[in-house]
Amino acid sequence: MAPLKILICGGGISGPALAFWLSRTGHRVVIVERFPALRATGAQIDLRAQGIQVVKRMGLEQSIRDILVDEEGVSFVDSRGRVVSTIMANKSGKGAQSLTSEFELMRGDLVRLLYERTKDRVEYVFGKTVESFEQDENRVLAHFSDGTSDTYDVLVGADGQGSRIRKAILPPGAPEPYIRLGVHIAYWFIPRDETDSNIRNTYLSPGGRMIFRRSHNPTESQVYFFLKDNSPELSNIPRASEEQQKEFWTQKFRDAGWQTERFLEGMKTTKNFYCQEVVQVITDTWSKGRVVLLGDAAHCPSPFSGMGTTGGLVGAYVLAGEINRHPNNLPQAFANYDEKLRPFVNEIQNVKTGLIKLGMPDTWWGIMIIHLIARILCFLRVPELVARFSSEEKGGWKLPDYPELDSS
């Protein structure tokens, strides 16, 4: 098999995971990342189901365990900070993960790990991205943001939910790929104090508001604000200035109760603020010719699925396996990738939007009902039993075997 020259646009998680496999089997891989340096930042993520199987096949399980966040479970708290109910993580090694995964870690730590494991055999170029491209049946000609151009056998769009590569390959008249869930999120880091434990707190406030507080190291905690609102104009908030975004969230949450005052005070000086609308990316088009999409660019499942990182790692493994098996017939490789992965993607994108919105009540009465249900379920140990006796494989989908990758 003659090695392919492969360009990956996006240096987050999915792109380097694909590069891990392809470079391991002798292909020449270049990753371009628009940020000027490794973007080893971001919120807490987790691995679940088939994603855990993939990191085991990568030989990275112990390395990931070494960087895990010590989160023991999830508690619901009331406006006085009193614990209503607690669901502990399933760390038995059997069954499915609970609300807290056995494999909780910071996005930046996983980005760094993948970079360290690939940098000696993958060319990383920072501060550069693909502006446009042309292709024929033999090559892809990529034009970069620095004015240069080069040819490749494959172009992979791993450039996130706002993917420019995806936009370029969608057919004319294709439907909008974004499914808006009517929820908006902001998160940031604040100094940790003595009230912050290793159990994530979840607080509900009237008006469709929800707050998470979780701690990832001895000195910092993370704050997440969730707002249920279908107003179309809110889609523009993430594009506003950071100052305007912070003012928006301050106005929406200033009377939310619990520790909101502390959280908003920390927001003023944080260096880790981020705001986004919760969307899914759903499209029938994952490839065109020699160009193929990966991870959130192809199938962002939304943070509420808990499967975004897992989906990216699984997709990278399947795509690498199919490219390796059909290096001289890329249309067949990409067709197989779509056929094998799409049932899994359909499963992880099966997010119950109605239940999400019911879980963010508009009234105190609704919140009291949620708390009552949580108390009863935890008293009966239902979450623990469900996790323990559920399948580790999401939707029963079996991770394909690519022995040529695992043994290389």
Side-chain angles (χ1 to χ4, degrees):
M1 174 184 72
L4 298 176
K5 184 181 176 185
I6 299 172
L7 174 64
I8 299 174
C9 183
I13 292 173
S14 300
L18 177 65
F20 174 94
W21 295 113
L22 292 175
S23 62
R24 197 176 183 183
T25 51
H27 299 291
R28 180 187 169 192
V29 182
V30 178
I31 294 179
V32 291
E33 167 56 48
R34 65 188 179 94
F35 280 83
L38 189 69
R39 195 183 177 197
T41 57
Q44 191 167 318
I45 59 175
D46 59 29
L47 302 176
R48 296 172 180 269
Q50 292 89 341
I52 298 171
Q53 297 177 38
V54 170
V55 299
K56 288 179 178 179
R57 294 187 186 187
M58 296 173 86
L60 297 180
E61 181 184 5
Q62 187 55 53
S63 296
I64 285 178
R65 287 188 180 277
D66 290 342
I67 56 175
L68 291 181
V69 171
D70 181 21
E71 184 170 284
E72 298 176 358
V74 176
S75 286
F76 289 88
V77 299
D78 64 17
S79 59
R80 298 182 183 179
R82 296 176 299 192
V83 174
V84 174
S85 58
T86 301
I87 301 172
M88 301 303 290
N90 176 18
K91 298 187 177 181
S92 68
K94 299 178 181 179
Q97 304 298 320
S98 68
L99 292 179
T100 289
S101 172
E102 181 183 1
F103 291 86
E104 296 279 343
L105 69 165
M106 299 304 292
R107 177 193 177 278
D109 290 336
L110 182 55
V111 168
R112 272 188 291 268
L113 175 61
L114 291 171
Y115 174 73
E116 289 296 326
R117 294 303 179 94
T118 56
K119 65 179 183 180
D120 292 336
R121 58 177 192 261
V122 172
E123 181 184 353
Y124 281 83
V125 183
F126 296 103
K128 182 174 176 176
T129 192
V130 177
E131 287 289 336
S132 63
F133 62 87
E134 304 143 25
Q135 63 170 319
D136 56 30
E137 60 183 27
N138 297 313
R139 64 172 190 167
V140 179
L141 175 61
H143 303 288
F144 297 105
S145 53
D146 63 357
T148 61
S149 302
D150 203 352
T151 57
Y152 299 87
D153 296 304
V154 179
L155 169 59
V156 180
D159 48 341
Q161 69 181 38
S163 172
R164 296 174 68 176
I165 304 298
R166 181 186 65 238
K167 184 177 181 181
I169 69 169
L170 289 181
E176 165 76 41
Y178 298 116
I179 305 298
R180 290 173 165 80
L181 304 191
V183 179
H184 302 262
I185 301 177
Y187 74 80
W188 62 95
F189 295 173
I190 62 171
R192 184 170 181 171
D193 72 15
E194 67 278 359
T195 67
D196 296 342
S197 71
N198 289 344
I199 293 181
R200 187 188 90 196
N201 296 138
T202 300
Y203 171 69
L204 300 174
S205 183
R209 296 174 292 184
M210 180 168 64
I211 298 175
F212 288 174
R213 194 285 315 157
R214 65 202 318 184
S215 299
H216 56 284
N217 65 41
T219 62
E220 292 178 307
S221 290
Q222 305 162 63
V223 176
Y224 299 72
F225 279 8
F226 298 81
L227 178 66
K228 180 178 65 174
D229 195 320
N230 286 311
S231 304
E233 60 269 20
L234 264 62
S235 297
N236 295 320
I237 296 297
R239 293 189 285 274
S241 69
E242 185 172 302
E243 180 181 356
Q244 291 173 317
Q245 292 178 38
K246 289 181 177 181
E247 178 62 20
F248 168 83
W249 288 98
T250 298
Q251 294 301 322
K252 289 293 185 180
F253 276 78
R254 65 192 320 162
D255 63 345
W258 186 40
Q259 296 190 37
T260 300
E261 186 175 337
R262 172 196 169 202
F263 300 153
L264 290 176
E265 189 64 29
M267 183 175 69
K268 294 178 181 177
T269 56
T270 186
K271 297 180 180 178
N272 301 91
F273 181 84
Y274 186 75
C275 166
Q276 70 176 90
E277 180 181 10
V278 178
V279 301
Q280 292 183 312
V281 171
I282 298 180
T283 175
D284 293 333
T285 303
W286 285 1
S287 66
K288 181 179 180 180
R290 291 175 170 266
V291 181
V292 63
L293 302 176
L294 176 66
D296 283 352
H299 48 74
C300 174
S302 97
F304 286 113
S305 73
M307 296 293 285
T309 304
T310 285
L313 292 175
V314 169
Y317 179 68
V318 175
L319 180 56
E322 293 302 329
I323 289 175
N324 236 46
R325 285 185 176 176
H326 305 280
N328 299 318
N329 189 349
L330 292 172
Q332 184 64 58
F334 298 159
N336 291 353
Y337 163 64
D338 190 312
E339 179 183 0
K340 291 184 179 180
L341 188 64
R342 198 170 285 273
F344 175 68
V345 167
N346 291 341
E347 184 65 32
I348 67 175
Q349 289 190 323
N350 186 22
V351 175
K352 308 297 185 185
T353 309
L355 289 178
I356 292 171
K357 292 184 176 181
L358 282 174
M360 301 171 65
D362 293 312
T363 67
W364 281 117
W365 282 109
I367 292 170
M368 290 172 63
I369 292 171
I370 294 288
H371 285 174
L372 177 61
I373 293 172
R375 279 194 185 101
I376 294 172
L377 292 177
C378 289
F379 177 76
L380 297 175
R381 299 175 59 201
V382 171
E384 175 187 343
L385 295 172
V386 168
R388 185 69 64 90
F389 294 106
S390 295
S391 171
E392 293 181 72
E393 296 176 326
K394 181 72 171 178
W397 183 83
K398 299 288 186 183
L399 185 68
D401 289 316
Y402 297 101
E404 61 273 27
L405 294 181
D406 301 340
S407 61
S408 59

